[in-house]
Amino acid sequence: MVFVMNSHTKTNSMTSYSPEVQHMHDLLEQQKAAYQRYPVPTAKERIERLARLKKVLVKYQDQFADAINQDYGNRSISETKIGELLTCLEQIKYYSKHLTAWMKPSKRHVSMLHQPGKAWVQYQPLGVIGIIAPWNYPLLLSVGPLICALAAGNHAMLKISSSSSQFGYVLENALSEAFPQELVAVVNGGGQISDAFSHLAFDKIIFTGSTNVGKTVMSAAAENLVPVILELGGKSPVIVHPSSDLKLVAERIAFGKLWNAGQTCVAPDYMFLPKGKTAEFIDSFKEIATAMYPTLRDNQDYTSIINDKQYNRIQGYLEDARQQGAQFTEINPNHEDLTAVRKIAPTFLTGVLPTMDIMKNEIFGPVLPIMEYDQIDDVIDFINGRPRPLALYYFDFDNARAEYVSQRTHSGHFGQNAVLTHVAQDDLPFGGVGASGMGKYHGPEGFFGLSHERSVMSIPKLFSLKFILAPYDKPLNKILEKTFLR
């Protein structure tokens, strides 16, 4: 039972929560109280907290990888350690190196009329950060925002996806070894727990997930005027210039599309090739993909689709495309039946139409629709006529042409001759624009985005404004008008 104030009637009322939801409320109150007792940890303390986090990440790395593998049914252990764990460890190094400088006040200009005053901006921790992590990269997308939160001096509560239940319990054990719950806490579970978490009165929420769920989270957060960082999805297009080496393009697209079986928010989602180049590209891709994954069914390097819901969703897109006349090219070297292991062979779709479900929804799987083009401006118009994507990839070593495309489109990230790798760049901000998200983390933006940029002004004993205050017929007022009001 919790005693709350009804915001509409301004009267007190009693609200009953389930024990699990009540526990979340209690955790938040504990963290807020702990923050108020010590609101500004020093740089040394923040770096020590990051060191504690690093220690348990390294200690539990095998348990993390095994748990994520169990949640997926089959998830490449190497991809977990390289794509998630290593990226987190590098982020810890980066923030530990830079946070001391970022914490320093930033001096600001004071106008002549207010001299000899001083002004600056100080960077305060916000308080308690709510982190809502998805299932596709559960370690990176929970611990990554946590690193930013700790570097900025905050406390944090992490909500782990119910589709990552095995991982969630390992993370809860690991972080409880490193931190008291009043500093960092993990919340597991789905249903009402997920819904209630986004209604909590955090000082900021970081959500990673689909656009539809992002809207729900933002609406819930608005009840308490909680600001949000939303890292959403979107259909990230690839454009290939006619001058490009298609073998090079195929190699890089194969990495980006087949890593985690395409279950990546910035994976290439659909592709524009110069007219007449599709067959050559597919042949190159097939050669590269077969070398990477000579078998699929029992290949531990080739990841399964996370669960039946996601598997059936992708199969539904494929069936809809088939009924509307799309042509399929599947890369399954040994013609294996993959149904029982929830794997989907790398698949190309040609002859696609904008009316197809697969062209209207983020795919999140190893399926790539291909369209051909004559004029680059037609491609730009196509992309600009749709919701702004999380990433846009352009293959061309001519920087002027790349700049042309970059300046005429909007996306969270613009990648030239590379896909996915920007997420692992510590000094680059990460986030979307429009329907693909708002706000950024990683890089300096991760620190400042989770800090309160508080303006401060100090006036000494000499108060210069008094010389121009009423009565306004003094000579200095006339000089002011003649000099500045012109």
Side-chain angles (χ1 to χ4, degrees):
M1 210 59 119
V2 169
F3 199 66
V4 298
M5 179 72 76
N6 185 303
S7 60
H8 299 289
T9 64
K10 305 297 183 184
T11 60
N12 294 331
S13 62
M14 300 295 287
T15 300
S16 179
Y17 299 120
S18 70
E20 295 83 4
V21 173
Q22 180 63 59
H23 177 61
M24 288 195 303
H25 283 267
D26 293 342
L27 281 175
L28 179 59
E29 291 307 311
Q30 290 171 24
Q31 291 207 353
K32 283 181 174 287
Y35 168 74
Q36 291 297 339
R37 288 195 300 270
Y38 193 61
V40 187
T42 66
K44 182 179 179 180
E45 290 166 327
R46 300 181 196 195
I47 292 169
E48 188 274 333
R49 290 173 181 178
L50 292 175
R52 277 192 269 163
L53 177 58
K54 177 183 178 181
K55 183 177 179 180
V56 294
L57 290 178
V58 172
K59 177 180 177 179
Y60 282 85
Q61 60 179 295
D62 291 330
Q63 291 95 315
F64 289 140
D66 289 342
I68 295 172
N69 183 47
Q70 291 177 47
D71 287 327
Y72 267 83
N74 181 73
R75 207 291 183 91
S76 169
I77 299 296
S78 294
E79 289 186 3
T80 295
K81 290 192 174 184
I82 296 170
E84 301 204 59
L85 178 65
L86 178 59
T87 303
C88 288
L89 296 178
E90 290 299 304
Q91 285 182 14
I92 289 173
K93 291 180 187 177
Y94 173 81
Y95 279 99
S96 298
K97 178 180 178 181
H98 292 287
L99 69 85
T100 302
W102 293 335
M103 289 175 64
K104 293 178 180 178
S106 171
K107 292 183 180 180
R108 299 301 170 93
H109 172 72
V110 175
S111 67
M112 186 188 72
L113 293 177
H114 301 273
Q115 294 290 351
K118 295 182 179 180
W120 64 93
V121 174
Q122 63 178 196
Y123 302 99
Q124 295 181 311
L126 287 173
V128 181
I129 308 300
I131 299 169
I132 304 176
W135 52 261
N136 61 326
Y137 290 88
L139 177 60
L140 175 63
L141 297 177
S142 58
V143 173
L146 174 62
I147 293 167
C148 299
L150 293 175
N154 297 292
H155 298 229
M157 290 175 58
L158 289 69
K159 171 65 183 69
I160 306 303
S161 169
S162 59
S163 295
S164 300
S165 58
Q166 297 297 320
F167 164 77
Y169 290 115
V170 175
L171 183 68
E172 185 174 7
N173 290 334
L175 294 185
S176 65
E177 186 176 307
F179 305 107
Q181 284 198 323
E182 64 181 21
L183 179 57
V184 177
V186 174
V187 175
N188 285 296
Q192 65 171 344
I193 296 175
S194 298
D195 180 64
F197 190 90
S198 58
H199 284 81
L200 294 175
F202 293 108
D203 295 293
K204 198 162 197 173
I205 287 176
I206 301 177
F207 168 81
T208 305
S210 70
T211 299
N212 287 337
V213 178
K215 293 177 182 179
T216 301
V217 170
M218 189 173 182
S219 177
E223 295 177 5
N224 293 303
L225 294 180
V226 176
V228 294
I229 294 175
L230 302 179
E231 192 278 281
L232 307 177
K235 295 181 70 63
S236 298
V238 178
I239 308 171
V240 179
H241 187 267
S243 67
S244 296
D245 178 347
L246 291 184
K247 288 186 178 180
L248 179 149
V249 175
E251 180 180 51
R252 298 182 187 186
I253 296 298
F255 150 65
K257 193 59 178 175
L258 303 183
W259 185 277
N260 203 35
Q263 296 166 104
T264 306
C265 57
V266 290
D269 194 275
Y270 63 99
M271 188 175 195
F272 285 99
L273 285 169
K275 193 168 185 179
K277 295 290 188 178
T278 298
E280 181 183 350
F281 172 79
I282 291 178
D283 286 344
S284 295
F285 189 103
K286 185 180 297 185
E287 180 182 348
I288 292 164
T290 301
M292 294 172 69
Y293 307 103
T295 63
L296 299 176
R297 188 185 190 282
D298 298 320
N299 188 340
Q300 294 183 351
D301 290 338
Y302 193 72
T303 297
S304 298
I305 303 302
I306 181 74
N307 54 35
D308 289 340
K309 177 182 177 181
Q310 297 299 325
Y311 179 85
N312 292 333
R313 175 186 58 79
I314 298 170
Q315 293 294 345
Y317 293 165
L318 294 175
E319 181 57 30
D320 172 77
R322 186 177 286 109
Q323 290 181 4
Q324 294 194 53
Q327 292 84 51
F328 287 59
T329 301
E330 185 179 277
I331 302 174
N332 187 347
N334 293 297
H335 308 288
E336 299 168 281
D337 183 357
L338 307 177
T339 307
V341 291
R342 271 199 328 270
K343 291 185 178 182
I344 296 175
T347 303
F348 291 104
L349 272 63
T350 54
V352 295
L353 302 171
T355 55
M356 295 177 179
D357 289 342
I358 204 159
M359 291 303 298
K360 294 187 289 186
N361 298 283
E362 185 176 11
I363 298 170
F364 237 60
V367 178
L368 187 63
I370 296 177
M371 294 176 283
E372 294 189 344
Y373 74 95
D374 284 314
Q375 301 296 324
I376 190 64
D377 287 330
D378 293 336
V379 176
I380 291 172
D381 289 342
F382 184 94
I383 293 170
N384 287 340
R386 283 152 180 78
R388 291 173 174 175
L390 191 55
L392 190 160
Y393 303 116
Y394 179 70
F395 282 84
D396 185 358
F397 288 100
D398 185 295
N399 292 333
R401 290 193 297 253
E403 184 72 5
Y404 181 89
V405 175
S406 174
Q407 291 295 329
R408 287 161 177 77
T409 55
H410 285 84
S411 58
H413 170 77
F414 181 82
Q416 185 180 356
N417 301 312
V419 301
L420 261 67
T421 52
H422 64 285
V423 179
Q425 308 314 306
D426 301 319
D427 208 32
L428 278 179
F430 178 59
V433 59
S436 60
M438 62 181 67
K440 302 283 190 285
Y441 62 98
H442 293 191
E445 289 80 2
F447 175 88
F448 294 111
L450 295 182
S451 300
H452 171 48
E453 298 175 327
R454 186 188 198 184
S455 64
V456 182
M457 188 166 179
S458 175
I459 301 295
K461 289 184 178 181
L462 176 60
F463 183 51
S464 56
L465 277 180
K466 70 179 182 180
F467 298 112
I468 59 170
L469 297 179
Y472 297 112
D473 57 356
K474 297 188 288 291
L476 191 57
N477 292 89
K478 294 178 182 179
I479 294 173
L480 185 68
E481 289 187 20
K482 290 181 179 180
T483 304
F484 295 101
L485 302 180
R486 51 182 297 180

